[in-house]
Every structure is written in structure tokens, then in C-alpha cells.
Amino acid sequence: MLNTRNRRYLFAYLMMAPGLLLMAIFTFYPIIYGLPLTFTNYSVIGETKWIGLANFKRAFSDPDFLLALKNSILYIIVVPVIQILSICMAILVNNNLKGVRFFRVSYFVPVVTSMVAAAIAWKWMFEQKGIINFILESAGITNGNIAWLANPDTALYAVMFVTVWKGLGYYMMIYLAGLQSIPSELQEAAKIDGANRAQVIRHVTIPLLQPFVLLCSLLSVMSAIRVFDEVYIMTGGGPAHASMVTGVYTYVKAFQDFDFGYAAAIGLIVSLIVMLFSIILFKYGKKGGLNYYG
């Protein structure tokens, strides 16, 4: 006969069971199944052979993969942009101003918008005859239409803009929760000591937000390196591989070239790079922060 404590544990595990089962099927099983594939030439058709580290050697001599890897690492520049803008937005909507709920909802709308729908809409807006060029030319900022997605110099940055637009609301809500967890007494004490609003934000608010900054930075770095949807829909990795990233390149190798062994090796390399960035963030993100999360 189970006592009250064990019954609570049993109930909790039963509640978690469906989610854990789905994770086991769609997350853990593909990871475990994909690891051996990295050492084979598996391609659905044909005989599968063990080829050792050949896929990894091929990856680091493949100019297309190296370009995709370079673009994926370059994509990380969206992280500080998203974090800084999200913190600023969170500070703004944390005030008890008239209509602030409307702005909170408005900023969060891109988060609940399907990335497929958003990418298609932005692709239309970035066309040469699209609304972006119309606005810029009307404002006198540009002279003539710019082929944002067809120009190798601008395609990747145009997609980055969409990633920033889509992610701002999500991280803003996390920072807003962080701001509302900060005891108001600390900010009031700083004001009594003579600190102005900017000094309160710099010396009280931002340090207390550091655990949230670490979390959001970690999530956004992982998302940036693994970006796929917006790139695949808006440019497909083009023009001339200028916006090719590892997520799209892995998809192309797996489901267009049916080179699953090589695609699995690329995926493993990218996962190790994400892990490396995560370790660096954890190591340096805690420095100078608060002790309660160290």
C-alpha cells in the first residue's frame, strides 16, 4: 500500500509519462539511431557499409559545408541584437502606462505566428517590387529597388532580420517575467541613494536579470546555429549558397541527395559546436552575476 508521498510521486510520473514517451520516440530515438549512421554510407537505396570517419573527413574538405558552417556561426550576430532589443522592450512594457497591455500583446504576436506564414509574408515584402523597397525609396533612404533575397550580399542579412523580428516577443516575455520578479525595494533603495533611472537599470536591474540573460542567450545561440525554416522558405540557401546554413545543408544532403550517413555526420558536428558554445556561455555568463544561480 503506497503512502501519501509515494502516491504523489506516482501521480507526477503518470502525468509526465505521455510527454516523456513522445520525447523518447521523436527526440531520443532519432539521436541514438543517427549516431551509428555517421560512420556509414547509408542512403536508403544500395548496400550500407561501415566507412569509419570518412564522413567527417569529407565534411571538413567540403567547401559547401564549410560555407554553410561559416554562415551558421555568422548567424550568431542576431543573438546580441535580439537580447538587447528584448531587454529594452521588456523594460518599456514593465511600466504601468496606459495601453501597455496592448503593446505586450502586439510584440508577442510574431511569436505565435507560424514561421512558414511569416517567412512567406516577409519573402513577398522583400521582393524588388515589395513594400520594403517602396518604404525605403519613399523615405529617400535608397535609390532604386534592391533585390534583397537575390543578392548574395544581402540575402543572409534579410533572413536574419526576420529571425530577429520573430524572436523579440518571445525573449521579451522571459525578461518581463524576470523584471517582475525583482523586489521593488531594491530599486527604491537605489533611488533613495540618489541613483537616476539609467543608473538603477545599469546597477540594479541588469545584474539581477543576468540569470535570464544567460538562459535567453543560450536558447538564442542554439536557435541561431540550428536555423532552418526562414532560410529554407525565403532563399533555400541561395543565391549561390550565399545564405546556406548547416540546417538547410543537412536537409538537402539527407532528403534531396539521400546521403543520410553524411547528413548524420554533419548534424553531429553541428551538435558538438552548439555544445561548445553552450559550455562557453555557462562558463563566462556566470561571471559577475548573482550567487543564487551559481
Side-chain angles (χ1 to χ4, degrees), residues 106-240:
S106 300
Y107 295 148
F108 196 71
V109 166
V111 179
V112 296
T113 304
S114 163
M115 177 51 88
V116 175
I120 292 173
W122 277 103
K123 184 178 180 180
W124 172 75
M125 288 191 283
F126 272 119
E127 287 181 354
Q128 291 194 47
K129 298 292 184 182
I131 192 170
I132 302 293
N133 279 326
F134 174 77
I135 293 173
L136 293 176
E137 194 168 357
S138 299
I141 298 174
T142 60
N143 184 18
N145 295 330
I146 299 174
W148 296 99
L149 301 178
N151 187 335
D153 295 329
T154 58
L156 186 63
Y157 298 101
V159 181
M160 284 180 183
F161 177 83
V162 177
T163 300
V164 172
W165 170 82
K166 187 81 167 58
L168 281 178
Y170 176 76
Y171 295 108
M172 180 202 72
M173 294 304 291
I174 296 177
Y175 285 125
L176 183 61
L179 287 172
Q180 294 182 347
S181 70
I182 296 175
S184 59
E185 292 83 0
L186 296 176
Q187 295 172 331
E188 294 300 326
K191 291 177 182 176
I192 292 172
D193 288 340
N196 58 34
R197 183 171 176 78
Q199 289 172 324
V200 171
I201 292 175
R202 179 184 174 188
H203 297 291
V204 178
T205 305
I206 299 300
L208 289 170
L209 273 181
Q210 189 161 346
F212 297 88
V213 174
L214 175 62
L215 170 66
C216 293
S217 299
L218 185 62
L219 293 175
S220 54
V221 164
M222 289 192 292
S223 298
I225 295 178
R226 296 181 295 119
V227 65
F228 174 78
D229 295 357
E230 51 266 57
V231 178
Y232 184 73
I233 294 168
M234 293 179 69
T235 66

